[in-house]
Amino acid sequence: AQSVTQPDIHITVSEGASLELRCNYSYGATPYLFWYVQSPGQGLQLLLKYFSGDTLVQGIKGFEAEFKRSQSSFNLRKPSVHWSDAAEYFCAVGEMEYGNKLVFGAGTILRVKS
Amino acid sequence: KAGVTQTPRYLIKTRGQQVTLSCSPISGHRSVSWYQQTPGQGLQFLFEYFSETQRNKGNFPGRFSGRQFSNSRSEMNVSTLELGDSALYLCASADRTRGEQYFGPGTRLTVT
């Protein structure tokens, strides 16, 4: 079965510092990969996606992610974190053979220190 | 374009009752998926509807059901509510298979 692992439950970074959130997946075929962000009490907002092609993908709010097939990873990065980035971040892999189904990681809660 | 809308936003029900949640997808989107989010189990896929047909189903009991109408709006129903059904229920829509999904704000269901 497909699975997604986000090894860090909580991460704290200082405002202005760089950020990297880790994501590893288990999937037999070419994966469809996503990063979503959720603020408290809100739904999920799509940050970026990887379907194919260039392994470095750019998203909204200055985020980027790199797909590394050899490491089964899709880590999310941001060069300079803002206080408004504090939220929970979810990595997901799409099981797309029979439709649209996302398998999510457990999430990483980001706290930003001022 | 308006985003995905879900109604109601908050709901309190008693054990044994049933509940119906509604989701209106982004205009033009024919795929609607439902997810349950709880602190213990995280985000779990319930089912997906595409052009009024259930195309995929997660590992949930038969008490959880859904349907999709010709205008792509979708409803999910939970019968015989249990305390463990308390969760945030999220709906997502996509314009095609293998497309990115856009989520609504969710319905917070509390079962007492």
Side-chain angles (χ1 to χ4, degrees):
Chain A
Q2 289 72 17
S3 65
V4 177
T5 301
Q6 294 180 246
D8 304 304
I9 299 174
H10 295 93
I11 280 187
T12 300
V13 299
S14 297
E15 192 168 15
S18 63
L19 170 71
E20 183 169 30
L21 302 183
R22 296 182 291 164
C23 172
N24 291 96
Y25 66 90
S26 169
Y27 192 68
T30 300
Y32 294 79
L33 296 163
F34 306 83
W35 275 99
Y36 284 88
V37 61
Q38 185 178 38
S39 298
Q42 303 296 313
L44 302 173
Q45 182 181 24
L46 178 66
L47 285 175
L48 47 78
K49 64 183 185 290
Y50 172 78
F51 286 0
S52 64
D54 193 346
T55 57
L56 183 64
V57 293
Q58 304 295 322
I60 62 172
K61 303 185 179 186
F63 285 94
E64 67 177 27
E66 186 171 14
F67 169 59
K68 292 185 177 180
R69 185 186 300 275
S70 62
Q71 298 176 21
S72 297
S73 69
F74 188 56
N75 293 348
L76 182 71
R77 300 193 294 247
K78 187 170 185 177
S80 177
V81 169
H82 187 263
W83 64 266
S84 60
D85 293 324
E88 189 163 14
Y89 292 79
F90 293 93
C91 180
V93 63
E95 288 188 4
M96 303 299 198
E97 288 83 4
Y98 305 107
N100 294 318
K101 173 186 174 182
L102 296 176
V103 176
F104 284 90
T108 297
I109 296 172
L110 173 65
R111 177 172 166 259
V112 180
K113 288 191 304 184
S114 57
Chain B
K1 266 187 186 177
V4 178
T5 59
Q6 293 187 244
T7 57
R9 292 293 310 278
Y10 302 92
L11 208 47
I12 299 175
K13 289 287 187 179
T14 303
R15 261 183 310 175
Q17 289 185 316
Q18 74 166 18
V19 68
T20 299
L21 312 182
S22 180
C23 171
S24 292
I26 293 171
S27 177
H29 285 194
R30 293 192 291 162
S31 165
V32 174
S33 299
W34 290 88
Y35 295 82
Q36 181 196 64
Q37 185 176 26
T38 60
Q41 299 299 317
L43 282 153
Q44 294 185 288
F45 173 80
L46 280 155
F47 31 64
E48 183 207 3
Y49 286 86
F50 188 90
S51 295
E52 302 180 65
T53 301
Q54 187 181 89
R55 193 160 63 168
N56 211 340
K57 191 176 191 305
N59 189 25
F60 279 82
R63 300 186 296 107
F64 292 81
S65 62
R67 59 178 175 168
Q68 187 179 33
F69 302 94
S70 58
N71 62 357
S72 293
R73 190 177 70 84
S74 177
E75 290 180 346
M76 69 163 280
N77 184 276
V78 188
S79 62
T80 320
L81 283 165
E82 301 177 359
L83 295 178
D85 297 332
S86 294
L88 181 66
Y89 289 89
L90 293 162
C91 165
S93 75
D95 62 353
R96 64 189 187 284
T97 300
R98 302 187 179 89
E100 59 266 30
Q101 293 182 52
Y102 296 90
F103 283 79
T107 295
R108 172 74 62 184
L109 171 65
T110 301
V111 182
T112 62

